[in-house]
Amino acid sequence: MPLCRLAGEGSDCRSLAQEFQGRPEAPLLLRLASEFDRLAVERDWPLGFHEDDSRYFARRAAQAVTAAVRARHSRARLAHLEMAQRYDGLSRAILARRSSEG
């Protein structure tokens, strides 16, 4: 699978998890999204991501936290917070990888 598709697959899984919110499929989709993201960051670095992606993921993390605060249902809050953690982790991984390379 091309690297650019790994990140897209992760994003698709997160979107589906929001649609399946409150159902048993949602946590599985979030775990799959996390694995796609991990593979996209680790495989064939730096072809998949660059510094702008780190800022994008940081912004998405902030949006997910805001969505969690506004969510009425506890499961929705948890799903948004899990997404925020994943986005934040991606942002930090890209910055760490970038700084270690030079």
Side-chain angles (χ1 to χ4, degrees):
M1 176 176 284
L3 187 61
C4 59
R5 285 300 306 147
L6 291 172
E9 291 293 332
S11 179
D12 291 346
C13 285
R14 275 187 294 282
S15 295
L16 281 172
Q18 287 181 329
E19 291 179 28
F20 285 98
Q21 207 165 25
R23 294 178 54 191
E25 295 90 342
L28 173 63
L29 288 165
L30 290 173
R31 284 194 301 274
L32 286 172
S34 179
E35 280 303 304
F36 278 122
D37 293 340
R38 185 187 61 75
L39 288 171
V41 169
E42 292 178 0
R43 191 171 127 201
D44 298 329
W45 183 267
L47 298 176
F49 293 101
H50 52 79
E51 195 172 337
D52 290 340
D53 292 325
S54 175
R55 288 190 289 272
Y56 166 78
F57 287 128
R59 188 171 56 250
R60 290 300 307 260
Q63 291 169 346
V65 168
T66 300
V69 169
R70 293 180 179 163
R72 293 182 182 202
H73 195 276
S74 61
R75 287 185 180 165
R77 283 191 297 275
L78 181 60
H80 286 297
L81 288 174
E82 287 174 350
M83 281 190 281
Q85 286 177 328
R86 284 168 178 61
Y87 282 130
D88 185 57
L90 278 171
S91 177
R92 290 174 188 268
I94 292 168
L95 288 176
R97 193 81 177 249
R98 191 110 174 126
S99 64
S100 71
E101 289 181 348

